[in-house]
Amino acid sequence: MANITRMQLLRGDIQGKKIPFRPPWAMPEESFVEYCTRCDKCIDACFDELIVKGQGGFPQMDFTQGGCDFCEDCLAVCETNALIKIIDNSDNNTPDNQKIAYLPPWHIKASIDLTQCLSMNATICRSCGESCEDEVIKFDLKLGGIAEPILDSEHCTGCGSCFSVCPVRVIQLIKET
Ligand code: SF4
Ligand code: SF4
Ligand code: SF4
């Protein structure tokens, strides 16, 4: 069984499902809360104000304001390595151009509840697709004025841009384990 943090116990969250989204490149939760001194430097560094003070004073993401562009400003100011880039040593990620490969900044994916999506209910909306810089969301035109958003989960970076623009909040951000 995975180690359980004191914070998880206090939240009654043994499985860790209520752990907030930490800033990109955060260490696993147990180490993160140990290393993070709650200095607020990452909060101040994020130009888009996507990082807020959360429970216990620890920083967490607020995707309601927009998506993360992975600019690394928060990472750069973290002096304790609570946010840290880790080299990916797995075989299938060996770089072919001498560049060091790092583990992804987080394991977050977007997911759309199609039943409530405007575009699936004959109302024109392409906001999520237009906001996705990685062009991960495409629309499949169907009869009756319906355009189904198709999200390519594999290439979704979990940046949160689509979440913040969806007018009916039917996009969820989900942590992959
Ligand atoms: S990587 Fe940049 S945009 Fe993303 S949370 Fe950090 S400072 Fe903000
Ligand atoms: S689909 Fe993924 S990559 Fe595209 S905007 Fe949404 S979270 Fe970002
Ligand atoms: S932004 Fe929301 S309502 Fe609009 S197409 Fe995307 S998921 Fe549907």
Side-chain angles (χ1 to χ4, degrees):
M1 184 197 278
N3 290 336
I4 297 164
T5 66
R6 187 168 167 272
M7 198 85 89
Q8 275 172 258
L9 278 175
L10 290 174
R11 284 193 207 105
D13 179 26
I14 304 299
Q15 302 201 327
K17 289 192 174 156
K18 295 186 202 157
I19 292 172
F21 296 117
R22 297 300 179 199
W25 298 284
M27 295 185 96
E29 182 69 7
E30 192 183 8
S31 304
F32 179 79
V33 294
E34 186 185 330
Y35 280 68
C36 173
T37 57
R38 294 169 268 187
C39 68
D40 293 350
K41 286 185 181 168
C42 58
I43 296 176
D44 296 339
C46 184
F47 182 78
D48 295 318
E49 301 184 351
L50 302 182
I51 310 177
V52 297
K53 226 174 176 39
Q55 192 180 14
F58 290 99
Q60 65 183 55
M61 296 300 290
D62 174 9
F63 290 109
T64 58
Q65 302 305 310
C68 172
D69 60 10
F70 305 108
C71 67
E72 303 191 10
D73 286 354
C74 51
L75 177 74
V77 296
C78 181
E79 292 170 358
T80 67
N81 289 344
L83 307 181
I84 185 171
K85 265 183 157 179
I86 309 231
I87 293 177
D88 183 353
N89 289 318
S90 66
D91 289 346
N92 56 0
N93 257 313
T94 309
D96 51 11
N97 57 2
Q98 303 303 314
K99 261 183 78 184
I100 297 171
Y102 291 97
L103 291 176
W106 50 35
H107 298 281
I108 300 174
K109 299 286 179 188
S111 167
I112 301 174
D113 175 1
L114 292 178
T115 59
Q116 304 297 322
C117 164
L118 295 178
S119 188
M120 289 296 286
N121 291 281
T123 300
I124 293 174
C125 180
R126 300 283 189 281
S127 299
C128 54
E130 287 164 1
S131 72
C132 180
E133 288 187 7
D134 296 291
E135 298 182 2
V136 159
I137 303 173
K138 310 273 192 218
F139 285 83
D140 185 17
L141 296 178
K142 298 186 183 297
L143 289 176
I146 289 171
E148 179 181 350
I150 312 272
L151 193 154
D152 173 5
S153 220
E154 191 189 337
H155 294 103
C156 171
T157 62
C159 71
S161 295
C162 56
F163 172 87
S164 64
V165 298
C166 178
V168 284
R169 287 276 189 264
V170 296
I171 299 182
Q172 262 190 301
L173 295 170
I174 298 165
K175 252 183 257 169
E176 289 196 318
T177 48

